[in-house]
C-alpha cells in the first residue's frame, strides 16, 4: 500500500513533487493516507504525476491517493498525464473511504485510456457511519478515452458522500467505433444507458445480431458523431414499463442536438419498447429498407412531445415494411398537442400492414396543429390497419392531418370506413329545435338530444368503461340575472348521444339563449365549437289555464298548471298539492274528509224544549196508564220518540248513533206495533218497512166500519205515520244534507207522536174517564137503590 508515500496517523506537507511510473498492488499507487480519530490536516502543493500504467488485474483503488478514516488532505496545483489501465485493472485516481476529506484545487489531467469499468477520476465510499467528502475546483480533463463494457462514470462515483465540483472542463478525442459480424444474446440487466454507447465517437454496425434480451434503457446511446447500422437484426428485446425511467427504453437515444443516424437493410422484430427514438433537435434519422414487425411501442414507433423535447429529429423512412405493430395510440407516429412542429417526418414507398391501436390512430395519432407540411406519407400502401377510432389516421382536425398522397383513392375504395377520423370538432342537435317557446318553469329535458361529430361527420361514441373517458357537459343561460336553471345542470354523454337530464328554466318573459357546453372532454382534446346555443322565448303566463307563483326560485315566478297528488276529489286544485274545498261538503288537504255539521243551536233548543215538555206529558200519561194498567188501553211508547228527537240535536258519535236507532225502533214498536201488527217491526230494511206500512194501512182501512167500542181512533195517526215514513225514505235517498234529514227526522216523530197522544192515548183516557164516571154514577145509583131497599125493609119492620 502506498507506492511512494504511506502515512498512518501522521501529519505531512509536501511541495514541488514530480512522480513517474509509480504503482502498488494494493491501495494507493502514490499516496496511502490513514487517520484514525487524529484529525490531522495535510497538504500537497505543486505536484506532477506522469506515465502511470496498470496492466495487471488489480482491485487497487486510488492511483494518485487512497484516503481512509479522518484524513483531511488539500492538493493544490496538480498536473497528471499519460494514464493507461487495462481490463480488470482498477483505474480510480482518487478513492475516499468513510470520513476522509479531499480538497483539490487547480488540477489538470490529460491523455488517459481506460478499459476497466467503474469511475475514472473519483470514488466516494462509506460505511454508513462516516461519510467522505470531496471539494473539486478548477479541474480540466482532456483526451479521456473510457472503453468500459458496462455503465461507467467519467468523473465520479458516489456511494454515500458529498461531492462539490466547480469549473470542470471534460473532453475526449474524436474516434470511430466499428462493430461487425457480431452476435449478442441474452443481455439481461436492470437500468442501462444503452447496450451500445458511443459518446463523442462515431459508430458503425454491420451484420450485428442482438436477440433475446431484457433491459430498461436504449439499445443505442449515441453522440453527435455519425452512426450507421446496416444488415443487422434486433429480435425479442423487452423492457419493464414500471420503471420510472421507462421512457428511455427506446431503440435509439441521441443526447445531442446534431449528428446523423442511418439504418439500412435491418430488421427490428418482437420489440417491447417505450418508443423507437428519443433524439434532440437538429438530428437526422434515415431508415431505408428497414423492417419493423411484431412489436409493441407504448407511445408509438415515433413519439413526438414538444413540451419535453422528446424526439425532435428529422426522420425519413423509405422502402420499408412496418407490420404487426401495436400501441394504444398511433402505432407508427404519436404526436402530442403543439401549435407547430419544428421537424419533418417523411415516409416514402413504404407498406403498413396489420398494425393495431387499441384506441386512436392505427398508423398516426396527432393532436398538433397544421402538421400537413411536416408529416407526409408519399406513395405508401395501407393494408388492414385497425384502431377503435381511425384505422389510418386520427388527427386534431381535417386541416391538421398529415399529407397522405393516396388519401382520395383510399376513401373512394373503402368509403372512409373508419379510416380517417378527427378529434371531435362540433356539436350536432339531433332532437329538438334551435328555438323554442316555453312558460317559465316548463320541463326542458325531453325536448333536446345532442351528439358530437368530427370533421368527417362521424358520430363520436363515448366510452362508459372508465370515468376518465366520459365527456361531461353543463347547461347555462346567457342571462343569469333574469333566468334560473333548476335541476341537474352538469351531466355526461352516454354512448352516441348526450341526452339532457331533468331540468327546468325559470325566467321573466323575454328572449334568451340557452347553452349546451362541454366542460370535460374525456380522452379527446378540447375543440373550438364545444358549445351549442338554443334560442328560448319565455312567454307571458296564461292565467286562465296556468297559475303564476314563486315555485323553484324565490325571486322569479314560475308559470304552471298546478298538480295535486292525490287528486282533490270534488274540490279544486289551486296550487301544487293545495286543494280548495269551497262548494263541497268535504274538507281536509285533498277534500276527502267529511265536514263536521254545524248545528242550528236555536232550532235544536226549540226541539229540546218541545221534546222535554212532551216527555213530561208522556211521563204524566205513563203515570195515568200505570194507575189504570188493568184497563184495556194501548201502551205509551212516545217517550222514546221524543228521546229520538233530542238525540237528533246532539253531536254524532257511536253512542248517539246507537241510541238513535234504539229509540227509533222502540218508539215505533211500543206505539204503532201495538196498533198495527203488535210485533214484527224492528228492522230498518226499506222493503220490509214498506211491506209493514202497506199491511198496516190495509188493516186500518178494513176495520174502519167496526163499532166504536171495537176499534181505536188510529186512522189519523197511522195514515200520518205512513205518509211521514214514506217522506223520510224519499228524503234519505234524494239528499245527502244532514240538516234536511235532521229536520224531517225530528219534526216527523213529533207530529205523529202528538197525534198518537191526541187520537189514541187522550181519547182512551177520556173514554176511561167517562167510563169511571159512569161506573161511579152507576155505583151511586146502585148504592141509592140498596139504601132505599134497606130503609123500606127497616120501615116495614117497624110497622
Amino acid at each position: 500500500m502506498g507506492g511512494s508515500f504511506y502515512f498512518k496517523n501522521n501529519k505531512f506537507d509536501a511541495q514541488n513533487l514530480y512522480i513517474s511510473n509509480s504503482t502498488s498492488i494494493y491501495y494507493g499507487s502514490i499516496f496511502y493516507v490513514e487517520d484514525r480519530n487524529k484529525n490531522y490536516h495535510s497538504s500537497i502543493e505543486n505536484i506532477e504525476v506522469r506515465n502511470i500504467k496498470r496492466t495487471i488485474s488489480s482491485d487497487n483503488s486510488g492511483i494518485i491517493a487512497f484516503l481512509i478514516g479522518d484524513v483531511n488532505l488539500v492538493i493544490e496545483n496538480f498536473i497528471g498525464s499519460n494514464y493507461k489501465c487495462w481490463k480488470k485493472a482498477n483505474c480510480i485516481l482518487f478513492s475516499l473511504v468513510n470520513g476522509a476529506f479531499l480538497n483539490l484545487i487547480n488540477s489538470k489531467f490529460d491523455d488517459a485510456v481506460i478499459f476497466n469499468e467503474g469511475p475514472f477520476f473519483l470514488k466516494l465510499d462509506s460505511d454508513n457511519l462516516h461519510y467522505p467528502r470531496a471539494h473539486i475546483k478548477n479541474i480540466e480533463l482532456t483526451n479521456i478515452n473510457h472503453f468500459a463494457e458496462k455503465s461507467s462514470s467519467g468523473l465520479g462515483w458516489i456511494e454515500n458522500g458529498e461531492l462539490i465540483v466547480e469549473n470542470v472542463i471534460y473532453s475526449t478525442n474524436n474516434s470511430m467505433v466499428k462493430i461487425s459480424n457480431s452476435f449478442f444474446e441474452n443481455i439481461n440487466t436492470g437500468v442501462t444507458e444503452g447496450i451500445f454507447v458511443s459518446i463523442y465517437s462515431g459508430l458503425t454496425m454491420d451484420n450485428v445480431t442482438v436477440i433475446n434480451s431484457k433491459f430498461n434503457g436504449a439499445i443505442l446511446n449515441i453522440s453527435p458523431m455519425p452512426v450507421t447500422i446496416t444488415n443487422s437484426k434486433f429480435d425479442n428485446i423487452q423492457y419493464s414499463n414500471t420503471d420510472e425511467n421507462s421512457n428511455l427504453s427506446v431503440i435509439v437515444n441521441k443526447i445531442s442536438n446534431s449528428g446523423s443516424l442511418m439504418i439500412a437493410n435491418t430488421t427490428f422484430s418482437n420489440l417491447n419498447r417505450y418508443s423507437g427514438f428519443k433524439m434532440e433537435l437538429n438530428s437526422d434519422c434515415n431508415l431505408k429498407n428497414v423492417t419493423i414487425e411484431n412489436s409493441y411501442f407504448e407511445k408509438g414507433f415515433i413519439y413526438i412531445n414538444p413540451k419535453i423535447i422528446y424526439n425532435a429529429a428529422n426522420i425519413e423512412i423509405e422502402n420499408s415494411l412496418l407490420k404487426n405493430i401495436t400501441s394504444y395510440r398511433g402505432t407508427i407516429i404519436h404526436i402530442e398537442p403543439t401549435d407547430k412542429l419544428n421537424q419533418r417526418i417523411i415516409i416514402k414507398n413504404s407498406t403498413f400492414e396489420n398494425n393495431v391501436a387499441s384506441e386512436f390512430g392505427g398508423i398516426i395519432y396527432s393532436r398538433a396543429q397544421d402538421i400537413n407540411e411536416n408529416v407526409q406519407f408519399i406513395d405508401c400502401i395501407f393494408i388492414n390497419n385497425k384502431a377503435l377510432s381511425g384505422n389510418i389516421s386520427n388527427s386534431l382536425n381535417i386541416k391538421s392531418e398529415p399529407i397522405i398522397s393516396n388519401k382520395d383513392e383510399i376513401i373512394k375504395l373503402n368509403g372512409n370506413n373508419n379510416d380517417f377520423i378527427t378529434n371531435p370538432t362540433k356539436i350536432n342537435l339531433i332532437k329538438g329545435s334551435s328555438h323554442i317557446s316555453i312558460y317559465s318553469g316548463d320541463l326542458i329535458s325531453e325536448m333536446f338530444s345532442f351528439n358530437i361529430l368530427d370533421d368527417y361527420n362521424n358520430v363520436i361514441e363515448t366510452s362508459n368503461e372508465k370515468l376518465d373517458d366520459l365527456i361531461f357537459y353543463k347547461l347555462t343561460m346567457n342571462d343569469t340575472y333574469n333566468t334560473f336553471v333548476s335541476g341537474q345542470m352538469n351531466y355526461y354523454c352516454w354512448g352516441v348521444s348526450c341526452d339532457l337530464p331533468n331540468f327546468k328554466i325559470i325566467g321573466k318573459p323575454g328572449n334568451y339563449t340557452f347553452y349546451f357546453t362541454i366542460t370535460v372532454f374525456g380522452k379527446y382534446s378540447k375543440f373550438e365549437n364545444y358549445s351549442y346555443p338554443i334560442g328560448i322565448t319565455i312567454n307571458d303566463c296564461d292565467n286562465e289555464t296556468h297559475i303564476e307563483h314563486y315555485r323553484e326560485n324565490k325571486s322569479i315566478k314560475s308559470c304552471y298548471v298546478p298538480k295535486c297528488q292525490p287528486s282533490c276529489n270534488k274540490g279544486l286544485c289551486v296550487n301544487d298539492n293545495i286543494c280548495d274545498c269551497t262548494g263541497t261538503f268535504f274538507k281536509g288537504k285533498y277534500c276527502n274528509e267529511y265536514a263536521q255539521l254545524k248545528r242550528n243551536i236555536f232550532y235544536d233548543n226549540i226541539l229540546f224544549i218541545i221534546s222535554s215538555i212532551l216527555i213530561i206529558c208522556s211521563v204524566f200519561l205513563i203515570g195515568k196508564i200505570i194507575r189504570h194498567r188493568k184497563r184495556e188501553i194501548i201502551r205509551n211508547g212516545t217517550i222514546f220518540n221524543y228521546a229520538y228527537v233530542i238525540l237528533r240535536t246532539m253531536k254524532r258519535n257511536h253512542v248517539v248513533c246507537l241510541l238513535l236507532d234504539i229509540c227509533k225502533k222502540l218508539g215505533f214498536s211500543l206505539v204503532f206495533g201495538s196498533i198495527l201488527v203488535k210485533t214484527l217491526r224492528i228492522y230498518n230494511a226499506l222493503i220490509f218497512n214498506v211491506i209493514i206500512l202497506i199491511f198496516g194501512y190495509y188493516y186500518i182501512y178494513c176495520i174502519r166500519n167496526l163499532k166504536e167500542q171495537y176499534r181505536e181512533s188510529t186512522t189519523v195517526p197511522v195514515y200520518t205515520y205512513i205518509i211521514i215514513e214514506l217522506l223520510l225514505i224519499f228524503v234519505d235517498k234524494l239528499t245527502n244534507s244532514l240538516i234536511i234529514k235532521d229536520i224531517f227526522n225530528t219534526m216527523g216523530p213529533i207530529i205523529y207522536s202528538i197525534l198518537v197522544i191526541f187520537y189514541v192515548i187522550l181519547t182512551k183516557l177520556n173514554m176511561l174517564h167517562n167510563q169511571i164516571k159512569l161506573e161511579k154514577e152507576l155505583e151511586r145509583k146502585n148504592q141509592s137503590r140498596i139504601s132505599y131497599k134497606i130503609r123500606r125493609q127497616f120501615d116495614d119492620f117497624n110497622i
Side-chain angles (χ1 to χ4, degrees):
M1 295 184 289
S4 297
F5 301 95
Y6 178 88
F7 299 100
K8 185 173 182 179
N9 297 328
N10 290 309
K11 176 182 178 182
F12 72 93
D13 295 299
Q15 298 174 342
N16 303 318
L17 300 177
Y18 177 85
I19 301 172
S20 177
N21 206 19
S22 178
T23 187
S24 172
I25 296 176
Y26 298 107
Y27 303 113
S29 294
I30 299 176
F31 292 97
Y32 178 88
V33 183
E34 181 178 355
D35 190 351
R36 301 295 182 180
N37 301 319
K38 299 297 183 179
N39 294 317
Y40 289 124
H41 290 253
S42 301
S43 66
I44 301 173
E45 185 177 359
N46 300 325
I47 180 172
E48 184 175 351
V49 179
R50 298 183 183 276
N51 304 319
I52 304 296
K53 296 182 179 180
R54 304 293 300 280
T55 59
I56 63 174
S57 175
S58 173
D59 291 332
N60 185 357
S61 180
I63 293 178
I64 305 298
F66 180 85
L67 310 179
I68 183 171
D70 298 322
V71 176
N72 192 321
L73 177 62
V74 177
I75 300 177
E76 187 172 359
N77 300 326
F78 183 94
I79 297 175
S81 65
N82 194 18
Y83 294 85
K84 292 183 179 180
C85 297
W86 303 110
K87 290 183 178 180
K88 297 184 180 181
N90 198 308
C91 204
I92 302 171
L93 298 185
F94 296 94
S95 181
L96 282 66
V97 180
N98 296 339
F101 173 73
L102 172 65
N103 189 358
L104 184 61
I105 304 171
N106 300 327
S107 301
K108 181 178 180 180
F109 296 85
D110 179 56
D111 191 15
V113 178
I114 305 101
F115 290 95
N116 188 37
E117 61 188 46
F120 159 65
F121 184 75
L122 177 69
K123 181 180 180 182
L124 305 181
D125 201 358
S126 169
D127 60 0
N128 294 323
L129 295 177
H130 305 86
Y131 299 96
R133 297 176 298 143
H135 293 182
I136 302 174
K137 184 177 183 180
N138 302 327
I139 182 173
E140 182 177 353
L141 303 172
T142 59
N143 297 322
I144 308 299
N145 297 282
H146 200 163
F147 301 104
E149 294 179 353
K150 296 183 180 180
S151 296
S152 303
S153 171
L155 184 60
W157 187 297
I158 304 173
E159 295 182 5
N160 293 329
E162 177 183 275
L163 173 63
I164 299 176
V165 180
E166 298 182 40
N167 302 326
V168 175
I169 299 175
Y170 189 101
S171 65
T172 66
N173 289 329
N174 292 333
S175 60
M176 178 61 69
V177 177
K178 182 176 182 180
I179 305 174
S180 62
N181 304 316
S182 300
F183 183 86
F184 302 89
E185 185 177 9
N186 297 324
I187 302 174
N188 297 304
T189 184
V191 179
T192 179
E193 294 178 359
I195 298 301
F196 301 95
V197 180
S198 176
I199 306 299
Y200 294 98
S201 298
L203 175 64
T204 298
M205 300 177 66
D206 182 60
N207 193 24
V208 174
T209 299
V210 181
I211 64 173
N212 303 329
S213 300
K214 183 175 182 180
F215 53 86
N216 280 6
I219 298 175
L220 298 173
N221 194 342
I222 62 177
S223 69
M225 302 300 292
V227 176
T228 302
I229 302 174
T230 57
N231 305 311
S232 297
K233 178 182 179 181
F234 299 84
D235 183 35
N236 192 25
I237 300 177
Q238 309 297 316
Y239 88 111
S240 174
N241 59 5
T242 59
D243 185 79
E244 60 180 0
N245 295 316
S246 61
N247 63 348
L248 299 178
S249 296
V250 295
I251 297 176
V252 178
N253 179 27
K254 191 171 184 299
I255 62 174
S256 63
N257 58 0
S258 62
S260 63
L261 169 67
M262 197 278 287
I263 304 176
N265 303 316
T266 296
T267 299
F268 297 89
S269 60
N270 299 304
L271 304 184
N272 184 354
R273 302 277 90 189
Y274 184 79
S275 69
F277 304 96
K278 186 179 187 299
M279 305 177 69
E280 296 186 2
L281 195 63
N282 298 325
S283 300
D284 292 320
C285 177
N286 293 278
L287 282 71
K288 293 183 178 180
N289 300 317
V290 172
T291 298
I292 304 171
E293 62 183 357
N294 305 323
S295 299
Y296 172 80
F297 296 99
E298 183 176 340
K299 292 291 186 178
F301 180 61
I302 301 174
Y303 176 53
I304 300 174
N305 189 346
K307 292 183 179 179
I308 59 175
I309 315 179
Y310 193 101
N311 192 15
N314 297 313
I315 300 175
E316 183 172 339
I317 302 175
E318 188 174 357
N319 299 323
S320 297
L321 172 64
L322 296 96
K323 180 179 180 181
N324 297 329
I325 300 174
T326 60
S327 182
Y328 84 104
R329 290 183 180 180
T331 60
I332 309 304
I333 301 176
H334 182 146
I335 306 176
E336 296 290 357
T338 182
D339 293 334
K340 184 179 180 181
L341 284 182
N342 295 316
Q343 64 199 95
R344 291 171 61 85
I345 301 175
I346 308 298
I347 304 177
K348 300 178 181 179
N349 302 314
S350 297
T351 300
F352 302 89
E353 183 177 357
N354 296 332
N355 301 296
V356 178
S358 59
E359 284 193 356
F360 301 147
I363 300 298
I364 177 171
Y365 166 81
S366 173
R367 287 300 177 263
Q369 295 277 3
D370 303 327
I371 66 170
N372 45 19
E373 295 297 329
N374 300 80
V375 181
Q376 299 180 16
F377 293 81
I378 309 300
D379 298 328
C380 293
I381 299 174
F382 302 91
I383 302 173
N384 196 35
N385 301 287
K386 298 294 182 181
L388 181 66
S389 177
N391 293 330
I392 295 177
S393 170
N394 188 300
S395 301
L396 182 63
N397 51 59
I398 199 169
K399 294 181 180 179
S400 299
E401 285 185 334
I403 291 178
I404 299 178
S405 61
N406 56 345
K407 174 184 174 181
D408 293 339
E409 288 80 358
I410 295 173
I411 294 177
K412 184 177 181 181
L413 179 64
N414 300 329
N416 192 24
N417 186 17
N418 194 40
D419 287 331
F420 297 93
I421 301 292
T422 70
N423 186 68
T425 57
K426 54 193 172 184
I427 299 173
N428 181 45
L429 179 65
I430 58 176
K431 179 183 178 182
S433 174
S434 60
H435 189 279
I436 61 171
S437 295
I438 63 171
Y439 288 121
S440 175
D442 278 355
L443 187 66
I444 306 296
S445 61
E446 298 179 356
M447 297 183 179
F448 295 99
S449 183
F450 301 87
N451 60 17
I452 304 172
L453 306 178
D454 70 351
D455 272 345
Y456 292 96
N457 291 324
N458 296 305
V459 177
I460 302 298
E461 182 173 1
T462 59
S463 172
N464 305 315
E465 297 179 356
K466 299 179 181 179
L467 181 62
D468 292 340
D469 293 342
L470 292 177
I471 295 178
F472 287 83
Y473 62 85
K474 68 177 180 179
L475 310 174
T476 58
M477 295 293 295
N478 66 323
D479 186 348
T480 57
Y481 181 78
N482 293 310
T483 60
F484 172 76
V485 179
S486 174
Q488 192 164 356
M489 300 172 61
N490 296 280
Y491 208 57
Y492 58 89
C493 298
W494 185 271
V496 297
S497 65
C498 303
D499 300 320
L500 272 58
N502 292 327
F503 75 100
K504 300 177 181 179
I505 294 180
I506 301 94
K508 298 178 181 179
N511 295 315
Y512 303 95
T513 302
F514 161 72
Y515 291 99
F516 169 86
T517 303
I518 296 178
T519 56
V520 178
F521 296 82
K523 58 186 176 182
Y524 301 98
S525 299
K526 184 177 180 180
F527 53 94
E528 183 177 356
N529 300 315
Y530 60 88
S531 185
Y532 195 99
I534 298 293
I536 292 183
T537 298
I538 300 179
N539 299 314
D540 292 325
C541 188
D542 185 355
N543 294 323
E544 293 184 0
T545 57
H546 295 66
I547 65 171
E548 197 171 13
H549 196 268
Y550 296 106
R551 192 184 196 187
E552 287 88 2
N553 188 272
K554 295 181 179 180
S555 59
I556 304 176
K557 292 183 178 180
S558 298
C559 178
Y560 58 96
V561 176
K563 295 181 180 180
C564 296
Q565 293 294 334
S567 66
C568 292
N569 295 313
K570 294 184 178 181
L572 179 64
C573 183
V574 296
N575 207 336
D576 289 342
N577 293 324
I578 298 177
C579 299
D580 183 4
C581 303
T582 303
T584 69
F585 294 100
F586 298 92
K587 65 174 185 176
K589 185 176 181 180
Y590 301 108
C591 300
N592 57 354
E593 301 174 13
Y594 284 98
Q596 186 176 2
L597 178 64
K598 294 182 179 180
R599 307 296 307 178
N600 190 325
I601 304 301
F602 177 77
Y603 179 76
D604 289 345
N605 291 336
I606 294 298
L607 289 177
F608 183 80
I609 294 172
I610 294 174
S611 298
S612 298
I613 294 173
L614 291 174
I615 287 174
I616 295 172
C617 294
S618 294
V619 171
F620 173 76
L621 293 176
I622 288 172
K624 283 283 189 178
I625 293 172
I626 293 174
R627 181 181 176 183
H628 303 286
R629 59 186 177 275
K630 295 182 179 181
R631 303 283 181 172
E632 292 296 329
I633 61 174
I634 192 169
R635 288 354 181 224
N636 187 7
T638 56
I639 190 171
F640 291 101
N641 288 334
Y642 307 142
Y644 171 79
V645 172
I646 292 175
L647 290 172
R648 273 283 182 174
T649 64
M650 296 181 180
K651 183 179 179 180
R652 300 292 195 273
N653 56 46
H654 292 293
V655 176
V656 171
C657 291
L658 180 62
L659 293 176
L660 279 171
D661 196 54
I662 292 174
C663 291
K664 176 76 172 177
K665 301 303 184 286
L666 287 177
F668 175 82
S669 300
L670 294 177
V671 176
F672 293 97
S674 60
I675 298 175
L676 302 176
V677 291
K678 302 297 181 181
T679 57
L680 300 178
R681 176 68 166 138
I682 200 168
Y683 302 102
N684 195 30
L686 175 62
I687 298 175
F688 193 69
N689 287 346
V690 174
I691 293 173
I692 294 297
L693 290 174
I694 293 173
F695 274 99
Y697 178 80
Y698 174 74
Y699 288 134
I700 291 298
Y701 181 78
C702 292
I703 63 172
R704 66 187 186 281
N705 295 320
L706 289 177
K707 293 183 179 181
E708 184 69 21
Q709 63 269 27
Y710 297 112
R711 59 185 178 90
E712 298 167 329
S713 300
T714 59
T715 303
V716 174
V718 171
Y719 287 168
T720 302
Y721 175 79
I722 292 171
I723 294 172
I724 290 174
E725 282 297 317
L726 290 175
L727 183 60
L728 292 178
I729 291 173
F730 284 111
V731 169
D732 185 66
K733 297 300 179 183
L734 296 178
T735 181
N736 291 323
S737 174
L738 191 59
I739 295 176
I740 295 176
K741 291 181 180 181
D742 278 353
I743 292 175
F744 279 89
N745 278 278
T746 53
M747 296 303 298
I750 289 176
I751 292 172
Y752 62 66
S753 295
I754 292 174
L755 292 177
V756 167
I757 291 174
F758 180 77
Y759 283 98
V760 178
I761 298 176
L762 290 180
T763 300
K764 294 293 291 184
L765 288 175
N766 185 52
M767 291 173 60
L768 181 59
H769 176 72
N770 293 331
Q771 182 179 355
I772 293 173
K773 183 178 180 180
L774 179 60
E775 289 176 353
K776 287 183 178 181
E777 181 66 26
L778 292 175
E779 184 178 0
R780 186 184 62 79
K781 290 181 178 181
N782 186 39
Q783 288 294 332
S784 297
R785 284 197 300 270
I786 294 173
S787 298
Y788 177 74
K789 288 181 180 182
I790 293 173
R791 284 196 306 269
R792 288 289 304 269
Q793 289 177 1
F794 185 76
D795 289 339
D796 291 338
F797 179 77
N798 289 328
I799 294 178

